[in-house]
Amino acid sequence: MSSDYPVQSSRPSIPPSSPTPSTPVMPELPEEVAVAFVRAWARPDAAIEEWQARCQALSTPDFALELDAASSVAVPASRVVGDTEVLRRSEGAASVRVPTDGGAVHVALELTAAGWRVDGIEPEALGTLASALGG
């Protein structure tokens, strides 16, 4: 006996491009990337290899190379506290202030083919000094 109805699968169809629960969602706005980076960076107790990998995943290739020589032990903060502030933003670059329990930091970001990526981080005191000196 033949049926004119199509055979239905008991499995739900999932479009191939839909993210799975285990797929991390990358932040899209520069301030979101800055906070995600600082949360990864502000872990002085993290194993160095894990810390570098988490920070480098949100970094430009040039800054990722600089992080190869960095250590989580030297980070003076352990968490983000308070709201971020976008200090400057253009089509391809941004600077975001992120407050931490060790003092605020300024995060420099660059828009790359992969999205916004961190290209540098410095304590606010240095950022303020650089601004005062015309930097």
Side-chain angles (χ1 to χ4, degrees):
M1 184 184 284
S2 149
S3 169
D4 290 334
Y5 298 103
V7 177
Q8 295 278 331
S9 169
S10 61
R11 295 184 324 182
S13 67
I14 298 173
S17 63
S18 67
T20 62
S22 63
T23 303
V25 176
M26 291 300 282
E28 293 180 23
L29 298 172
E31 55 269 33
E32 294 172 341
V33 174
V35 168
F37 178 86
V38 173
R39 284 187 176 139
W41 172 81
R43 297 189 55 222
D45 59 340
I48 292 173
E49 296 81 15
E50 175 192 352
W51 177 82
Q52 287 173 334
R54 287 179 185 256
C55 291
Q56 289 170 333
L58 296 164
S59 300
T60 62
D62 288 342
F63 190 56
L65 287 174
E66 288 182 40
L67 289 169
D68 278 338
S71 169
S72 58
V73 179
V75 175
S78 62
R79 63 189 171 94
V80 173
V81 296
D83 297 327
T84 62
E85 178 186 357
V86 176
L87 301 173
R88 278 188 321 273
R89 182 172 178 181
S90 66
E91 282 187 34
S95 178
V96 178
R97 179 184 184 273
V98 180
T100 74
D101 60 348
V105 293
H106 289 192
V107 181
L109 298 108
E110 207 175 275
L111 186 57
T112 69
W116 287 100
R117 294 295 180 263
V118 173
D119 197 44
I121 185 169
E122 65 183 20
E124 183 170 59
L126 290 178
T128 303
L129 179 61
S131 294
L133 297 173

